[in-house]
């Protein structure tokens, strides 16, 4: 409170200034408390983050071989291609330039992580980004044999007129709709998705539909492969003779094979003759 000895206009000015400062302090304290009730520190951090993170793991895709629509001609591309190193970025870049696609099935291992108190994934679907094309046949490249399995939990056939993901062992019943994936803050769920094709080749992305429990907002997120490219999968020709070249992956590089060796590589469960 201002000194009581002050008189006249000067005293009145001091009183008004003191009252103004007091009112400002009271209002600031009230707003701070109210704002703190409505917005927690976690909410301030969340304001710059997406509600959900979706990560596609490198090295997935399954152990299916791949087919390319052309063979490399430039020496650096040819060297990277013939290395047969599926996990290397250089090999992947060259295969992408050659129109490469996994044969029969590609597997995407996807990790979903919530950055909100509760997020519910309500659908994952395939969205083709280009018209379907004939199967890719310029060359087949064997995946290096690793002896492991990469079994997905959900699969979808792109040959179906209305493709949707189903649980393995329960064909014909869509997984999403009856089921969803609820995720609490910081919780992660990994899902293996198998995308199959037999009759054509397909270029696609995944669309993830989710709902924030707090706001009820429904959003859609587009997911590409680990290198930021659309996924690719192709059917196979009816016989080994449908490929221009067949490459065995020796672990030390690719080696072209023909005749019975090519047939056995592509059809390990069939009896092959010496004719190609």
């Amino acid at each position: 409170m201002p000194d009581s000895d002050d008189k006249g206009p000067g005293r009145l000015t001091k009183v008004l200034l003191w009252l103004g400062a007091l009112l400002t302090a009271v209002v600031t304290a009230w707003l701070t408390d109210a704002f703190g009730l409505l917005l927690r520190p976690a909410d301030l951090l969340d304001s710059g983050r997406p509600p959900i993170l979706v990560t596609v793991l490198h090295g997935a895709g399954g152990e299916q071989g791949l087919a390319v629509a052309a063979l490399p001609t430039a020496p650096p591309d040819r060297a990277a291609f013939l290395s047969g190193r599926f996990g290397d970025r250089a090999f992947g870049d060259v295969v992408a330039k050659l129109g490469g696609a996994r044969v029969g099935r590609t597997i995407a291992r996807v990790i979903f992580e919530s950055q909100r108190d509760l997020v519910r994934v309500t659908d994952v679907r395939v969205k083709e980004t280009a018209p379907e094309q004939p199967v890719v046949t310029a060359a087949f490249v064997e995946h290096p044999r690793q002896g492991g399995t990469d079994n997905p939990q959900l699969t979808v056939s792109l040959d179906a007129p209305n493709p949707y993901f189903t649980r393995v062992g329960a064909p014909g019943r869509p997984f999403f709709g009856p089921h969803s994936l609820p995720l609490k803050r910081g919780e992660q769920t990994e899902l293996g998705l198998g995308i199959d094709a037999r009759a054509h080749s397909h270029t696609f992305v995944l669309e993830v539909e989710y709902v924030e429990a707090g706001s009820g907002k429904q959003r859609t997120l587009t997911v590409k492969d680990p290198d930021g490219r659309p996924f690719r999968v192709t059917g196979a020709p009816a016989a080994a003779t449908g490929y221009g070249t067949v490459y065995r992956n020796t672990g030390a590089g690719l080696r072209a094979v023909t005749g019975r060796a090519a047939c056995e590589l592509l059809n390990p469960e069939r009896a092959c003759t010496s004719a190609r």
Side-chain angles (χ1 to χ4, degrees):
M1 186 74 181
D3 296 338
S4 58
D5 293 339
D6 293 339
K7 297 180 181 180
R11 181 175 183 277
L12 178 60
T13 300
K14 288 184 177 181
V15 169
L16 292 176
L17 289 173
W18 181 82
L19 289 174
L22 179 62
L23 181 62
T24 299
V26 170
V27 171
T28 300
W30 181 85
L31 288 175
T32 300
D33 289 342
F35 190 71
L37 290 173
L38 295 174
L39 196 61
R40 301 163 300 163
D43 296 322
L44 290 172
L45 292 173
D46 288 343
S47 62
R49 298 177 178 176
I52 189 172
L53 290 178
V54 181
T55 305
V56 181
L57 297 180
H58 279 274
E63 292 202 359
Q64 286 72 22
L66 61 83
V68 292
L71 290 176
T73 54
D77 288 352
R78 181 171 172 78
F81 176 76
L82 290 177
S83 74
R85 296 173 183 167
F86 273 59
D88 283 7
R89 181 63 184 263
F91 178 80
D93 288 345
V94 172
V95 166
K97 287 196 294 184
L98 300 175
R102 292 293 181 127
V103 177
R105 165 176 287 184
T106 187
I107 297 177
R109 302 213 69 88
V110 184
I111 294 178
F112 303 89
E113 180 180 355
S114 172
Q115 299 195 108
R116 296 292 188 272
D117 285 342
L118 180 62
V119 172
R120 187 176 297 276
V121 177
T122 57
D123 195 15
V124 179
R125 54 183 174 263
V126 170
K127 180 181 180 182
E128 302 216 31
T129 58
E132 62 184 27
Q133 298 293 324
V135 296
V136 179
T137 59
F140 173 87
V141 179
E142 180 190 24
H143 188 281
R145 299 180 182 181
Q146 298 172 341
T149 58
D150 197 3
N151 297 324
Q153 290 99 336
L154 304 179
T155 61
V156 60
S157 172
L158 299 187
D159 296 315
N162 181 30
Y164 50 78
F165 281 102
T166 64
R167 191 193 298 270
V168 172
R173 299 179 182 179
F175 176 80
F176 292 101
H179 306 280
S180 61
L181 300 177
L183 298 167
K184 297 179 181 178
R185 182 185 295 273
E187 183 179 1
Q188 293 184 346
T189 294
E190 182 177 330
L191 198 60
L193 305 173
I195 301 94
D196 300 340
R198 297 181 63 185
H200 300 90
S201 64
H202 303 265
T203 304
F204 63 94
V205 296
L206 297 174
E207 287 191 334
V208 176
E209 193 173 274
Y210 64 94
V211 176
E212 290 184 65
S215 65
K217 292 181 180 178
Q218 182 171 298
R219 293 187 170 92
T220 301
L221 181 68
T222 298
V223 178
K224 298 181 180 180
D225 77 6
D227 295 318
R229 292 187 282 255
F231 299 91
R232 292 264 293 157
V233 65
T234 179
T241 52
Y243 287 111
T245 308
V246 176
Y247 289 100
R248 179 177 294 282
N249 200 322
T250 68
L254 302 184
R255 179 170 60 86
V257 294
T258 59
R260 184 170 182 174
C263 175
E264 291 176 341
L265 178 62
L266 295 168
N267 306 290
E269 297 179 357
R270 295 183 185 178
C272 294
T273 65
S274 59
R276 182 167 181 237

